[in-house]
DNA sequence: CAAAGACATAGACACACGTAAATATTTACA
DNA sequence: TGTAAATATTTACGTGTGTCTATGTCTTTG
């Protein structure tokens, strides 16, 4: 067991931004999650996986949608995975990533939640 | 009038991430908004302003909450302002920043919106 | 008009980040 | 067993980012 929370775990701990000021440690836990999303390529990857049927997509499909090298896509997927936004599963030669929609919803609640 | 959208304007244009894949230009419009939020200090600033009474706060109050130089806080406020997340108003010697809660809610809808 | 206070801007620096090329690893199949 | 395909890792490099110090601008007040 780890005392270190993943960004996705950290985001579930806090009331909405507009309710009360975030503490320093809360902010430091949440920022990495936003950072993981704050890149055009990763936003598109996240959106492609989340909107794909079954909420999952094969890397082989994702690579072709970008004019970027395969290692670059692999790198971005790793960032999203380590932030806790994507789950990873290997099936045969292929790797499938699955969106953690609960994480997205927790993040949305933090950002857009009403003050009261 | 400008043909260039602010990040806050860009975020209002798109269905939720999980509904359909974001286009390249949509993603490039939205990423800067997330980038503006994806810093612990700016997250706390945004939260402090949004949760403050009246949805606004004076820079003088914000500076004291951090062990950072005044120009650094000023820089972060500028980033949030230019992203469209904070409005800026000078009253006498003091400057007040006001949270654009609509922008936060649009962003939350984009991130956490249901697929259907 | 001069001085002081509130905030912004400019410049500089260390570090992080996005990308690509080269290489490694894993799996399937002939 | 060996070869090809899918994906990850390593390394390197240019660019961006967060921070500070120094300085500028604006407003109030003596």
């Amino acid at each position: 067991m780890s005392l270190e929370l993943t960004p996705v775990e950290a985001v579930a701990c806090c009331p909405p931004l507009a309710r009360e000021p975030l503490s320093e440690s809360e902010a430091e836990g949440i920022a990495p999650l936003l950072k993981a999303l704050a890149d055009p390529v990763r936003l598109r990857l996240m959106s492609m996986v989340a909107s794909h049927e079954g909420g999952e997509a094969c890397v082989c499909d994702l690579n072709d949608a970008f004019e970027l090298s395969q290692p670059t896509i692999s790198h971005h997927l790793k960032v999203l995975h380590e932030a806790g936004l994507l789950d990873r599963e290997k099936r045969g030669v292929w790797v499938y990533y699955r969106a953690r929609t609960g994480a997205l919803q927790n993040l949305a609640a933090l950002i857009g939640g009403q003050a009261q």
Side-chain angles (χ1 to χ4, degrees), chain A:
Chain A
M1 79 181 187
S2 158
L3 289 176
E4 195 70 23
L5 296 179
T6 70
V8 157
E9 290 166 336
V11 81
C13 75
C14 314
L17 286 192
R19 179 125 63 191
E20 63 183 75
L22 238 44
S23 75
E24 184 174 355
S25 62
E26 286 170 340
E28 284 172 352
I30 296 164
L33 186 60
L34 286 161
K35 221 174 210 176
L37 273 182
D39 175 272
V41 174
R42 289 197 291 268
L43 256 187
R44 289 183 69 198
L45 283 170
M46 194 70 206
S47 175
M48 291 173 72
V49 173
S51 68
H52 203 268
E53 55 177 80
E56 71 173 16
C58 173
V59 174
C60 52
D61 298 326
L62 302 173
N63 276 325
D64 298 345
F66 297 86
E67 293 187 349
L68 290 170
S69 69
Q70 174 266 320
T72 295
I73 299 301
S74 184
H75 161 71
H76 284 304
L77 289 170
K78 184 181 185 181
V79 171
L80 290 168
H81 174 60
E82 288 182 340
L85 289 167
L86 289 181
D87 277 333
R88 188 178 179 280
E89 188 184 352
K90 188 161 189 175
R91 297 210 284 270
V93 187
W94 296 280
V95 172
Y96 290 80
Y97 282 91
R98 171 176 296 272
R100 280 207 191 173
T101 53
L104 289 176
Q105 286 170 17
N106 285 340
L107 181 59
L110 179 87
I111 293 174
Q114 300 297 323
Q116 299 296 349

